[in-house]
Amino acid sequence: MSGAGAQPPGPGNAYHGALGDAFARHSGTSPYNAYIDRPAVLELAGDVTGAHVLDVGCGAGYYAAELLARGARVTGVDGSAALLRHAAERVGGRAELRLHDLETPLHFAADASFDGAVCALVHAHVEARDRLLAEIRRVLRPGGWLVLSASHPTADWRHFGGSYFDGSWVDLPLPGSSEAIRYRRLTLETLMTEWLAAGFTVERLTEPRPLPALREIDAALHERLCAEPSFLAVRLRNPAGPG
């Protein structure tokens, strides 16, 4: 495991090849994904019936599948061809899936063409975060929403140690795999500053706890994750007026 001082990932910062396959397997059943982050993101998204939703960094399609089941029309984008193959298997032809480097503008989407967007555990993998947030806001209709989740800054601090304000790239091994995911440590101050600088307003911020169902699978893990923060999840709004 690498901590502070790790270098940024390769082009696109996506989970390519074997890493993409390993992450697709891991994210399907990991308690952190299945019992904390996905439920929190979907709860903040709320009623998506009839909404056109952009899934930014859609990965293996787990969020897209849930959004589709709730009545949304979904466009998913990711920089990993490996993950998009898994997403295509999961959603079939029910969603539009695009291979797209999130470090570049969302040139495929017109202004105000989406009602909402989700960006789950993707933000810290992107270097051009200010441009990505600006692009998401551009493609959202006035009054549209963005639900974004990120690793909790204090969880990273507890795990990697050092200074809380360390903004280095770090590696987090995937359990049961030789692969590791790489992302940048971000403080709460950094996250809030970036969201507000992009012109969004904050409607709600949560520090999600695991679903009670996890207790039936692993009571000790459920108790620990109820006491230690893992993620932040926020619902942002694209103001209806000029910003």
Side-chain angles (χ1 to χ4, degrees), residues 21-115:
D21 292 333
F23 183 76
R25 294 189 299 269
H26 170 78
S27 60
T29 58
S30 165
Y32 293 91
N33 298 88
Y35 291 92
I36 303 179
D37 188 68
R38 274 202 297 278
V41 167
L42 293 166
E43 193 271 332
L44 285 178
D47 183 3
V48 296
T49 305
H52 190 188
V53 179
L54 178 65
D55 188 351
V56 182
C58 65
Y62 291 104
Y63 298 82
E66 293 286 352
L67 290 165
L68 288 165
R70 288 163 167 75
R73 173 188 169 201
V74 178
T75 297
V77 297
D78 202 281
S80 166
L83 281 172
L84 285 178
R85 286 195 297 271
H86 290 277
E89 293 174 1
R90 184 153 288 105
V91 304
R94 296 177 296 149
E96 179 183 356
L97 300 176
R98 286 180 170 269
L99 181 65
H100 183 82
D101 181 359
L102 295 179
E103 299 287 359
T104 65
L106 305 176
H107 54 74
F108 60 86
D111 294 359
S113 54
F114 292 93
D115 300 300

Side-chain angles (χ1 to χ4, degrees), residues 151-165:
S151 179
H152 199 291
T154 62
D156 286 339
W157 185 28
R158 287 171 62 94
H159 184 80
F160 294 107
S163 169
Y164 169 81
F165 298 100

Side-chain angles (χ1 to χ4, degrees), residues 121 149-160 164 183 185-188 191 205-208 228-233:
L121 304 181
S149 64
S151 179
H152 199 291
T154 62
D156 286 339
W157 185 28
R158 287 171 62 94
H159 184 80
F160 294 107
Y164 169 81
Y183 62 96
R185 288 173 61 172
L186 300 173
T187 65
L188 179 58
L191 290 166
L205 186 146
T206 67
E207 298 170 301
E228 300 176 2
S230 301
F231 304 115
L232 290 174

Side-chain angles (χ1 to χ4, degrees), residues 184-195:
R184 188 180 286 282
R185 288 173 61 172
L186 300 173
T187 65
L188 179 58
E189 178 182 359
T190 298
L191 290 166
M192 288 291 294
T193 298
E194 291 178 355
W195 301 336

